Amino acid sequence: MKIEIMIPSLIVVVIIFSILFVVGRSNYLEYTKEKFDIRSNFPYEMQDNFSFKYNWQVRFLALFFALSLCLFAVNAFDMKNASSLSLAIGVMILNAIVTMLLFFISMKNSSLHMALAIGQFGLTFLSYAFVTNYVFFFNALEYPIFLGIVTSVFLVIILLLLINPKLYKWMYMDRVEENGEVVLKRPKVMLLPLYEWIFMILTILLDLIIVVATFIMLNASV
């Protein structure tokens, strides 16, 4: 691991994600005159129309967000002493790419978007699972046990999120009466887009947890 690269790359990840979120919300609000809400709006809706003012800015920020996540992943572990972590690195990189694509692929291509969303959920789960497995069953690098405990807790949380029966009914609309007519409207909370945002945050959080554990480990060995 290279803590001198991990910390700056994590800072860049957080900064780019924050800018992406602010610019994307502004982009959506300016064009639709409605507030962007992560509880019901997909990431791709930040740039879904080419008439949006900051359409390409959102796309480039999503790309750099993924690149920053990949930079963190390739520097997060010492492969010379722990080749078993190569799977974790591969999964984290693939998850970064899939997450980026969720900002590009709209529900107009519903099959592909759903495949990407499912991939994001699964890859995030595997990222936590591989780190947990390494700490408890290999740990040649002597990571603190708290790393495995924390990632185990999040594994349970992720599992509970995935077995939520309401998730599989995310596409149902609310029936609202307007001017004497019943129309279908998007509910205030739509689980699929909400989950896409949650799993992005879980990805960033895993990086933060790894940085803290690495910092503790390196200082303990001094």
Side-chain angles (χ1 to χ4, degrees), residues 141-142 214-222:
L141 299 177
E142 298 184 353
T214 302
F215 186 80
I216 292 173
M217 179 181 65
L218 293 176
N219 279 272
S221 62
V222 174

Coordinates of all heavy atoms in Angstrom, one line a residue, residues 141-142 214-222:
L141 N -0.5 -8.9 6.1 CA 0.0 -7.5 6.3 C -0.3 -7.0 7.7 O 0.1 -5.9 8.1 CB -0.6 -6.6 5.3 CG -0.2 -6.9 3.8 CD1 -1.0 -6.0 2.9 CD2 1.2 -6.9 3.6
E142 N -1.0 -7.8 8.5 CA -1.4 -7.4 9.9 C -2.2 -6.1 10.0 O -2.0 -5.2 10.8 CB -0.1 -7.3 10.7 CG 0.7 -8.6 10.8 CD 1.9 -8.5 11.7 OE1 2.2 -7.3 12.2 OE2 2.5 -9.5 12.0
T214 N -5.1 1.4 7.4 CA -3.7 1.4 6.9 C -2.9 2.3 7.7 O -1.7 2.0 8.1 CB -3.7 1.8 5.4 OG1 -4.5 0.9 4.7 CG2 -2.2 1.7 4.9
F215 N -3.4 3.5 8.0 CA -2.7 4.5 8.8 C -2.3 3.9 10.2 O -1.2 4.0 10.7 CB -3.5 5.7 9.0 CG -2.8 6.9 9.6 CD1 -1.8 7.6 9.0 CD2 -3.0 7.1 11.0 CE1 -1.2 8.7 9.6 CE2 -2.4 8.2 11.6 CZ -1.4 8.9 10.9
I216 N -3.3 3.2 10.8 CA -3.1 2.6 12.2 C -2.1 1.5 12.1 O -1.2 1.4 12.9 CB -4.5 2.1 12.7 CG1 -5.4 3.2 13.0 CG2 -4.2 1.2 14.0 CD1 -6.8 2.8 13.4
M217 N -2.2 0.7 11.0 CA -1.2 -0.4 10.9 C 0.2 0.1 10.7 O 1.1 -0.4 11.3 CB -1.6 -1.3 9.7 CG -0.7 -2.5 9.4 SD -1.2 -3.4 8.0 CE -1.0 -2.2 6.7
L218 N 0.4 1.1 9.9 CA 1.7 1.6 9.6 C 2.3 2.2 10.8 O 3.5 2.1 11.1 CB 1.7 2.6 8.4 CG 1.4 2.0 7.0 CD1 1.2 3.1 6.0 CD2 2.4 0.9 6.6
N219 N 1.5 3.0 11.6 CA 2.0 3.6 12.8 C 2.3 2.6 13.9 O 3.2 2.8 14.7 CB 1.0 4.6 13.3 CG 1.1 5.9 12.5 OD1 1.9 6.8 12.9 ND2 0.3 6.1 11.5
A220 N 1.6 1.5 13.9 CA 1.8 0.5 14.9 C 3.1 -0.3 14.7 O 3.7 -0.8 15.6 CB 0.6 -0.5 15.0
S221 N 3.5 -0.3 13.4 CA 4.7 -1.1 13.0 C 6.0 -0.3 13.2 O 7.1 -0.8 13.0 CB 4.6 -1.6 11.6 OG 4.5 -0.5 10.7
V222 N 5.8 1.1 13.4 CA 7.0 1.9 13.5 C 7.7 1.7 14.9 O 7.0 1.7 15.9 CB 6.6 3.4 13.4 CG1 7.8 4.3 13.7 CG2 6.0 3.7 12.0

